[in-house]
Amino acid sequence: MRNMKKHYPMKSDVREKDDRYIVDIDLPGFSKDAIKAYISDGYLVVSAFRDQEKEKKTGKTIYRERYSGSCQRSFYVGDSVRQEDIRAVYRHGVLKLTIPKHPTQKAIAESSIEIS
Amino acid sequence: MLVPSIFSNNFVDSFFNDTFDSMFDDMLRTPFSSGGLAAMSTDVQDLGDSYQLEMELPGYAKEDLKADLKDGYLTITAQHNSEKDEKDEKGKFVRRERYTGHCQRSFYVGEGVKQEDIKASFENGVLKLLVPKKDAPAVEEKKYIAIE
């Protein structure tokens, strides 16, 4: 307990497979709709927004260790990766992104990555 | 007496450490440093008639969590039970920051609290526990010897 320090949110694991990268990002307490992921200039950007007003039943805070704000993190994936190649799943507070190494040639989509 | 055990002298220590060290931490810390208490970060709120604990446990399934009450301490244990579906997903780690092992944390809630009084829910990697406040058992009155 003595060594308690604030920690960075969005802790991530990146794993390399033969044909893809798998990125696991810790995002506990967010709803699926509050997480946005998109590709911008070769970077995969993941943002999570916290709706402060929505937090109901707030009492007197005795202890606060959790990060309660919004956060964003980006990963360089290269220019060849397109948005529609990335698969995203949010489960148990972890966002799992699967990024293929050899993306298929498709037109660039404007929308952000769909999180299932 | 009925406040969680976090109200120990550590509370003061960590408060001051945070204040004085944060300036240096911002310079030194990297996303890779786990810090001291990276896992199981918890918010505790006093809701008047109960305490609300919100504990971050990303990546754990409901079945991986265990909360039990013994001698006035509420202990939450998390351990991955279903490793089999993760196995084929394993690959070479390029970066590893997340903690995925076994972890446990205890809170003192008082001996008057019964297990069935505690309500627990788990959503989006956050375990929420509602612990009702129970009046402390009457403090035994000191019996003085009458001095004549």
Side-chain angles (χ1 to χ4, degrees), chain A residues 10 27-37 46-52 54 69-72 90 95 113 115, chain B residues 124:
Chain A
M10 299 184 86
L27 285 166
F30 289 94
S31 71
K32 203 183 89 181
D33 304 323
I35 302 167
K36 297 271 175 281
V46 179
S47 316
F49 306 95
R50 194 95 65 176
D51 197 350
Q52 302 279 3
K54 236 175 117 182
S70 301
C71 48
Q72 178 169 306
Y90 182 66
L95 178 69
I113 298 155
I115 296 165
Chain B
N124 291 332

Side-chain angles (χ1 to χ4, degrees), chain A residues 6-114:
Chain A
K6 279 180 198 141
H7 67 277
Y8 254 74
M10 299 184 86
K11 282 201 192 310
S12 308
D13 284 354
V14 182
R15 283 173 292 166
E16 187 180 359
K17 298 270 283 179
D18 294 337
D19 56 340
R20 61 187 186 271
Y21 289 101
I22 299 158
V23 183
D24 288 299
I25 307 170
D26 276 352
L27 285 166
F30 289 94
S31 71
K32 203 183 89 181
D33 304 323
I35 302 167
K36 297 271 175 281
Y38 57 93
I39 295 273
S40 170
D41 296 327
Y43 282 89
L44 168 65
V45 183
V46 179
S47 316
F49 306 95
R50 194 95 65 176
D51 197 350
Q52 302 279 3
E53 289 158 34
K54 236 175 117 182
E55 279 187 27
K56 52 188 188 283
K57 254 191 144 179
T58 36
K60 200 180 89 200
T61 297
I62 295 172
Y63 214 59
R64 185 176 282 274
E65 295 165 8
R66 297 174 56 208
Y67 181 73
S68 55
S70 301
C71 48
Q72 178 169 306
R73 193 165 177 186
S74 44
F75 301 86
Y76 185 70
V77 290
D79 289 321
S80 60
V81 176
R82 296 192 203 289
Q83 224 147 252
E84 64 268 26
D85 297 325
I86 298 174
R87 230 184 57 226
V89 179
Y90 182 66
R91 198 163 153 262
H92 299 314
V94 177
L95 178 69
K96 187 191 282 277
L97 296 153
T98 309
I99 304 144
K101 281 186 186 172
H102 308 290
T104 50
Q105 295 299 315
K106 275 183 197 166
I108 301 162
E110 294 284 304
S111 62
S112 51
I113 298 155
E114 192 193 323

Side-chain angles (χ1 to χ4, degrees), chain B residues 23-76:
Chain B
M23 186 164 54
F24 303 102
D25 281 353
D26 282 339
M27 289 193 291
L28 294 171
R29 70 185 171 189
T30 65
F32 317 109
S33 73
S34 60
L37 197 86
M40 304 184 101
S41 293
T42 308
D43 285 355
V44 181
Q45 286 187 338
D46 185 345
L47 299 182
D49 56 346
S50 60
Y51 292 108
Q52 179 187 271
L53 280 78
E54 286 176 300
M55 185 178 280
E56 289 187 349
L57 289 159
Y60 292 94
K62 207 170 81 178
E63 297 75 41
D64 299 333
L65 307 178
K66 214 177 72 195
D68 69 331
L69 191 67
K70 197 171 175 266
D71 300 329
Y73 281 90
L74 174 65
T75 304
I76 292 108

Side-chain angles (χ1 to χ4, degrees), chain B residues 138-145:
Chain B
V139 181
E140 214 170 291
E141 270 180 56
K142 272 184 190 151
K143 292 199 173 63
Y144 294 103
I145 299 161

Side-chain angles (χ1 to χ4, degrees), chain B:
Chain B
M1 184 190 171
L2 278 169
V3 295
S5 58
I6 51 170
F7 254 142
S8 58
N9 43 13
N10 287 325
F11 177 76
V12 179
D13 283 346
S14 67
F15 174 77
F16 283 108
N17 284 343
D18 266 0
T19 314
F20 289 117
D21 290 348
S22 61
M23 186 164 54
F24 303 102
D25 281 353
D26 282 339
M27 289 193 291
L28 294 171
R29 70 185 171 189
T30 65
F32 317 109
S33 73
S34 60
L37 197 86
M40 304 184 101
S41 293
T42 308
D43 285 355
V44 181
Q45 286 187 338
D46 185 345
L47 299 182
D49 56 346
S50 60
Y51 292 108
Q52 179 187 271
L53 280 78
E54 286 176 300
M55 185 178 280
E56 289 187 349
L57 289 159
Y60 292 94
K62 207 170 81 178
E63 297 75 41
D64 299 333
L65 307 178
K66 214 177 72 195
D68 69 331
L69 191 67
K70 197 171 175 266
D71 300 329
Y73 281 90
L74 174 65
T75 304
I76 292 108
T77 312
Q79 180 157 34
H80 281 288
N81 295 320
S82 46
E83 291 283 341
K84 54 187 191 297
D85 56 344
E86 286 279 306
K87 210 178 164 188
D88 58 327
E89 281 286 319
K90 279 229 169 76
K92 199 179 88 195
F93 273 98
V94 179
R95 172 177 291 182
R96 188 164 205 179
E97 298 163 8
R98 298 172 57 228
Y99 181 74
T100 51
H102 172 270
C103 51
Q104 181 175 314
R105 193 167 177 188
S106 299
F107 295 89
Y108 185 67
V109 294
E111 275 161 46
V113 177
K114 297 234 171 25
Q115 193 151 335
E116 56 265 31
D117 297 333
I118 298 172
K119 278 195 218 117
S121 61
F122 186 62
E123 196 191 6
N124 291 332
V126 175
L127 176 71
K128 191 187 275 192
L129 294 157
L130 271 175
V131 183
K133 286 187 193 175
K134 282 277 150 85
D135 289 323
V139 181
E140 214 170 291
E141 270 180 56
K142 272 184 190 151
K143 292 199 173 63
Y144 294 103
I145 299 161
I147 300 165
E148 287 178 19

